[in-house]
Amino acid sequence: MTLDKDRLERVRGWAQRYVDARTFAGLSVLILQDGDEVFFDARGLRDLESEAPFERDTVVRLYSMTKPITSLALMTLVEEGHLHLDAPLSRFLPEFAAPQALIPGASHLDQVAPCAVPTLHQLLTHRSGLSYAFNPGLVPAEMAARDLTFAPRAGTLAEGCRRLAELPLAFAPGTRWEYSVGIDVIGRVIEVVTGQSLAEVFQQRIFDPLGMSETGFVVAENQADRFATLYTPLPGDAMDLNATATEGDSLRFVDGPSGSPFLDPTCLSGGGGLVGTIDDYARFAEAMRRGGQGIVSRATAAFMMRNHLPGDIAALGPSSFAEQPMRGVGFGIGGAVVLNAGISGVPGSVGDFSWGGMASTFFWIDPVHDLTTVMFTQLSPSSATPARAELKALVHGALM
C-alpha cells in the first residue's frame, strides 16, 4: 500500500488544532516510505516568549527515545563477543552482586529477600526489578526522595548506578514488567566494557556512521538558538506522568535554552539524555528499518525488533507508566512491538517497532508498509495527550 498524499494532508490540520488549542506550542512530523520522504510538516513555536518558529532543524530533548539508541550500542558489543545478554549485571557492575528484592505485599523497604542478579536482557526489557521515581510503590518513592533520576545534572552515570545499587529491587528479576532506569544502567555497562564514555561510544558506533551530526548529550554552541523550550500543562512536577492537568495555563514553562541542564550535563543518561533533530532521529529509525544499515547485522536488527516477552506487557502485571499501550503490545530490545493492533486499540501493523519520550516525542517503524514516522514536540508529560495514537490512526488512514 502507498500513502495517499491528499489524506496525509489531514495531519497538518490535526497538528494545527493542537497548536490553536495551546496544547502544543509547536510540533513537527516526518514520514518516509521505502526510504523516501513522503510528508513533512512543522508548525507553531519552539519558544512562546521569543515567538521563534518550530522548524525542521529545531533541537529537542529526546528523553526516552534515547533508549533504543543505547540498546543498539549494546548490541554492537554483543555482536563483537564482548558480552552476552544473559550475563549477570554484577559481572560489569560489582555493586549489584548481592541484590535483595521486596517481598510480595511489602509495606516497608526492609521487607526483602535475597534474589538473583538481574541479567542484561532483563535490564533491556524492563524485567530487572528496577523502577523509575515516577512509578507507584515503595522503591520509586525512595528513588524520588533520594533524587535518583539520572537527570542531566544528577551527578555522573557511575555515581547514579552506585546509589541505585543501595536500594532493594521492586520485585524479583523476571517476575514482572516495570518501566525503569534499566537502560541507564546498560549505558554504564557499555562504558565499563569499552573503557569509553557513552558519548564517545555513540559518536563512533552510531552517530558518525549514520551522519547524525545534530544528536548528542549536550546542546552544542551552534544549536543553542534552535533549542526548543519545554512546556507542561501541570501546575506541579512536569515529570509526574500520573498527574492530571488542572485549570490554568496549558503551556507552563519548564526549561528553556538559557540555563538548561542540557547545556552542560554531568550525567550521560542512556535512558533519556540525548537531544537532537528530527532528521537525525529519522536516520537512526531508518537504519533499524533497513536491517541495521551496517551498525549491526540484518539478523541482529530483526532480533531486536521481535517481542522478547512471553506475551504482551499487560500479562506481566505492570503497575508502572509505559510510553505505549500494554495490551496487545510486547517489548523488544529498546522498544515496543505490536503483537495485535486490535487488542491494543491503536491502528497499526503487526511488528510495528516504536518508542516515545517524556516530552511527547514519538517514532515508529512499520515493517509491513515500509514506513518510518517521527513526531517531535516538547510537552511534558507525554501522558497529557493522545497525540501518538491519533497520529498512527492518521497515517494508517492514508494507506490506500
Side-chain angles (χ1 to χ4, degrees):
M1 295 183 186
T2 58
L3 288 164
D4 183 273
K5 292 187 177 180
D6 290 336
R7 284 175 170 252
L8 279 179
E9 289 300 308
R10 297 168 175 170
V11 176
R12 299 188 206 277
W14 165 82
Q16 189 61 50
R17 288 194 294 274
Y18 267 108
V19 171
D20 290 345
R22 281 183 58 85
T23 303
F24 295 147
L27 71 159
S28 58
V29 177
L30 175 61
I31 305 172
L32 299 97
Q33 187 170 38
D34 293 319
D36 296 324
E37 182 177 322
V38 294
F39 181 86
F40 175 78
D41 183 70
R43 62 188 55 243
L45 304 175
R46 68 171 178 266
D47 180 72
L48 295 176
E49 185 177 8
S50 67
E51 297 187 342
F54 203 103
E55 296 177 311
R56 189 158 188 154
D57 64 353
T58 293
V59 176
V60 307
R61 302 154 191 78
L62 294 173
Y63 286 128
S64 286
M65 277 170 62
T66 303
K67 288 179 171 70
I69 295 176
T70 304
S71 301
L72 178 62
L74 185 83
M75 292 307 297
T76 68
L77 301 178
V78 171
E79 280 196 338
E80 294 170 10
H82 293 293
L83 47 81
H84 64 94
L85 294 183
D86 280 334
L89 175 58
S90 55
R91 182 173 300 174
F92 312 98
L93 302 183
E95 58 264 41
F96 289 94
Q100 294 188 316
L102 291 180
I103 62 173
S107 56
H108 299 284
L109 276 178
D110 59 0
Q111 294 177 303
V112 296
C115 64
V117 176
T119 67
L120 302 185
H121 190 255
Q122 289 167 338
L123 289 163
L124 288 163
T125 56
H126 300 294
R127 296 179 300 131
S128 64
L130 296 176
S131 191
Y132 257 122
F134 50 69
N135 286 332
L138 295 171
V139 171
E142 187 63 19
M143 291 177 70
R146 299 188 186 195
D147 196 27
L148 259 172
T149 59
F150 293 91
R153 290 184 184 152
T156 67
L157 182 55
E159 291 167 353
C161 288
R162 285 194 293 269
R163 294 175 59 215
L164 186 65
E166 296 171 359
L167 294 178
L169 298 175
F171 53 89
T175 60
R176 280 172 44 200
W177 192 97
E178 185 157 313
Y179 197 36
S180 76
V181 296
I183 299 182
D184 284 290
V185 178
I186 286 291
R188 180 57 187 157
V189 169
I190 292 170
E191 291 188 332
V192 169
V193 171
T194 62
Q196 298 176 292
S197 73
L198 197 57
E200 291 170 330
V201 173
F202 283 2
Q203 198 67 47
Q204 294 173 13
R205 291 175 175 261
I206 299 174
F207 298 160
D208 285 345
L210 296 181
M212 294 173 65
S213 60
E214 292 268 34
T215 305
F217 287 104
V218 180
V219 177
E221 188 175 336
N222 67 349
Q223 295 177 318
D225 62 351
R226 295 182 281 126
F227 188 42
T229 296
L230 178 65
Y231 296 97
T232 184
L234 304 181
D237 183 3
M239 304 300 165
D240 186 352
L241 289 157
N242 301 299
T244 56
T246 58
E247 292 183 7
D249 191 356
S250 59
L251 291 172
R252 297 173 170 90
F253 176 91
V254 178
D255 176 48
S258 178
S260 172
F262 288 93
L263 298 174
D264 55 352
T266 60
C267 181
L268 305 183
S269 165
L274 290 175
V275 299
T277 61
I278 198 166
D279 280 293
D280 258 22
Y281 205 88
R283 290 184 181 96
F284 162 74
E286 270 290 286
M288 294 298 296
R289 187 191 67 81
R290 292 170 180 266
Q293 207 166 308
I295 305 299
V296 291
S297 73
R298 185 172 293 275
T300 296
F303 171 78
M304 292 178 66
M305 293 188 286
R306 292 191 185 104
N307 182 31
H308 286 240
L309 307 180
D312 64 7
I313 296 173
L316 288 173
S319 58
S320 69
F321 168 84
E323 290 286 355
Q324 294 286 287
M326 297 184 183
R327 295 176 293 106
V329 177
F331 201 83
I333 303 295
V337 182
V338 172
L339 306 178
N340 187 320
I343 293 175
S344 77
V346 179
S349 299
V350 172
D352 278 4
F353 182 77
S354 63
W355 206 238
M358 177 75 79
S360 304
T361 55
F362 182 49
F363 88 101
W364 83 90
I365 299 163
D366 182 332
V368 175
H369 301 295
D370 297 314
L371 290 173
T372 294
T373 303
V374 186
M375 182 186 82
F376 273 11
T377 187
Q378 292 287 268
L379 184 84
S380 180
S382 56
S383 54
T385 78
R388 295 168 179 175
E390 292 170 351
L391 180 59
K392 285 202 79 175
L394 282 160
V395 174
H396 252 250
L399 284 164
M400 303 293 286

